Amino acid sequence: MKENITVPTGKVVGIGKLKVFTTEDFPYEIPTLSFLVSRAEGGMFVATCIQLMLDSEGETPNQACDGLKNIVLHHLNVLFSRSGNSAWDALHETVNDDFSVSYWKAYRDFQLNLSEQGISTDTKTALYKRISELERQINDLRAMIDNSNVRLSAKIVDYQERAA
């Protein structure tokens, strides 16, 4: 296993994928984007979209990832609303920038480390997991609606503990 995988923003602590879905307002099919999360020396976490070279900081990896999702959506919205078809040319230029090479190397190294530990990085597996989570949430909401005639009701919908 390769130790101490680093990028200019810090030590890599995680990797992920981000899918931008088409909508009526945004009909463009954007390929799945890859990102990594690093921990800077100051303790902040930085999520970096490798294809677009966009960063977001947060006090936790989740905050950094949520911020990155918002920055990516804003960036693509602005790019396509201002540039139209030339937005594709701008994307080609960005994804082929040499600056991303060190991030791709770190991403693949971290991905191999996960595989060595038996952890799948297959996007399809992650999507099936997310579908299961959403189905559980839908069932919970349906149960709440079905119990709406009950005078008072409560349900714990999420619980998390801080890692030791």
Side-chain angles (χ1 to χ4, degrees), residues 62-119:
N62 285 341
Q63 285 179 352
C65 292
D66 286 342
L68 181 64
K69 177 186 71 170
N70 294 331
I71 288 170
V72 165
L73 291 175
H74 177 74
H75 175 75
L76 291 172
N77 254 333
V78 169
L79 183 65
F80 278 91
S81 67
R82 290 186 184 163
S83 305
N85 283 336
S86 66
W88 292 110
D89 293 334
L91 287 176
H92 278 282
E93 188 175 320
T94 304
V95 301
N96 291 310
D97 189 282
D98 290 338
F99 189 71
S100 66
V101 171
S102 66
Y103 286 86
W104 278 119
K105 181 181 179 313
Y107 183 93
R108 288 188 297 272
D109 282 339
F110 200 89
Q111 189 176 39
L112 285 172
N113 282 357
L114 292 174
S115 293
E116 187 177 345
Q117 296 170 4
I119 300 170

Side-chain angles (χ1 to χ4, degrees), residues 4-140:
N4 295 322
I5 300 169
T6 60
V7 291
T9 54
K11 182 178 178 180
V12 178
V13 297
I15 60 172
K17 296 190 186 274
L18 172 64
K19 180 62 183 157
V20 176
F21 296 100
T22 59
T23 65
E24 273 188 37
D25 294 333
F26 191 82
Y28 309 101
E29 179 64 40
I30 304 297
T32 301
L33 302 170
S34 301
F35 68 91
L36 54 78
V37 177
S38 59
R39 186 173 192 147
E41 285 186 25
M44 292 293 283
F45 292 91
V46 180
T48 303
C49 176
I50 302 171
Q51 289 93 335
L52 302 178
M53 291 312 300
L54 296 172
D55 290 329
S56 175
E57 285 188 346
E59 292 182 10
T60 67
N62 285 341
Q63 285 179 352
C65 292
D66 286 342
L68 181 64
K69 177 186 71 170
N70 294 331
I71 288 170
V72 165
L73 291 175
H74 177 74
H75 175 75
L76 291 172
N77 254 333
V78 169
L79 183 65
F80 278 91
S81 67
R82 290 186 184 163
S83 305
N85 283 336
S86 66
W88 292 110
D89 293 334
L91 287 176
H92 278 282
E93 188 175 320
T94 304
V95 301
N96 291 310
D97 189 282
D98 290 338
F99 189 71
S100 66
V101 171
S102 66
Y103 286 86
W104 278 119
K105 181 181 179 313
Y107 183 93
R108 288 188 297 272
D109 282 339
F110 200 89
Q111 189 176 39
L112 285 172
N113 282 357
L114 292 174
S115 293
E116 187 177 345
Q117 296 170 4
I119 300 170
S120 173
T121 58
D122 179 37
T123 303
K124 199 182 310 182
T125 302
L127 290 173
Y128 282 129
K129 180 181 175 188
R130 181 68 179 134
I131 288 169
S132 293
E133 291 171 5
L134 290 171
E135 286 173 340
R136 182 191 55 80
Q137 289 176 352
I138 288 168
N139 289 334
D140 288 348

